[in-house]
Amino acid sequence: MNDAPAFDVAAAHKHFAAHCFNSAWDLIDKSNRTPEEDRLMVALNQASLYHWMNRADCTNENLSIGYWQASRIQSLLGNAAEATRQAEVCLGYSGSLEPFYLGYAYEALARAAALAGNTNEGSEYKSRSEAQAALVQNASNRAALLSDLEGLK
């Protein structure tokens, strides 16, 4: 008995890592999601992470971005504890990366802290993110990070 699939597994992981991430992002951007779409958004993010983790070319950058998205989704859904947990995982993958990624890890932590009502902690993480943003050399990446920080209360 041959258990090998009749398709290229590596190509499938490559396709679905990006497809699921982008589909989750489309739902993040949707202003009036249904409860079913909220659940789908979480599932798509988790599927994206699964497929990334099964790619030979997976890097800490990919996982930093995936867990940042997971934290953002949980923040959108009002789940402060899970948003924090996902942001902490993001930070773990971001520590040795360029300031853009580290800045977004701190942005996720700031967002989760604000959601949880931890004002002082949120302010500290926001300050750390702003310090990293100042180090981002790519102007559009820096602007994106600063724009997301502006959205924090």
Side-chain angles (χ1 to χ4, degrees):
M1 174 186 259
N2 183 357
D3 289 337
F7 58 88
D8 182 343
V9 174
H13 286 308
K14 183 175 183 177
H15 170 79
F16 286 112
H19 172 76
C20 292
F21 179 89
N22 292 333
S23 295
W25 197 263
D26 290 342
L27 289 169
I28 288 170
D29 286 341
K30 187 174 181 184
S31 58
N32 294 315
R33 289 181 309 277
T34 66
E36 291 82 14
E37 288 171 324
D38 285 345
R39 288 188 292 276
L40 177 60
M41 181 173 56
V42 172
L44 285 164
N45 167 261
Q46 294 302 296
S48 174
L49 282 165
Y50 166 79
H51 287 291
W52 269 111
M53 289 175 174
N54 282 280
R55 288 179 58 168
D57 63 344
C58 182
T59 66
N60 283 354
E61 288 179 11
N62 304 125
L63 296 174
S64 171
I65 293 166
Y67 282 103
W68 173 85
Q69 186 185 61
S71 180
R72 174 60 71 91
I73 288 168
Q74 293 301 323
S75 288
L76 285 172
L77 298 178
N79 301 326
E82 187 60 18
T84 300
R85 189 179 77 76
Q86 299 291 348
E88 288 169 347
V89 175
C90 174
L91 180 63
Y93 285 110
S94 303
S96 65
L97 300 177
E98 297 174 23
F100 174 76
Y101 301 97
L102 188 53
Y104 262 109
Y106 287 130
E107 181 270 347
L109 286 162
R111 186 175 300 279
L115 180 62
N118 299 330
T119 309
N120 291 341
E121 186 178 328
S123 293
E124 174 62 28
Y125 284 131
K126 185 177 180 185
S127 293
R128 290 182 188 185
S129 184
E130 289 168 338
Q132 291 300 310
L135 301 173
V136 175
Q137 300 205 359
N138 179 290
S140 67
N141 285 351
R142 184 175 52 255
L145 178 53
L146 291 173
S147 175
D148 279 335
L149 288 169
E150 284 294 316
L152 295 177
K153 293 178 174 54

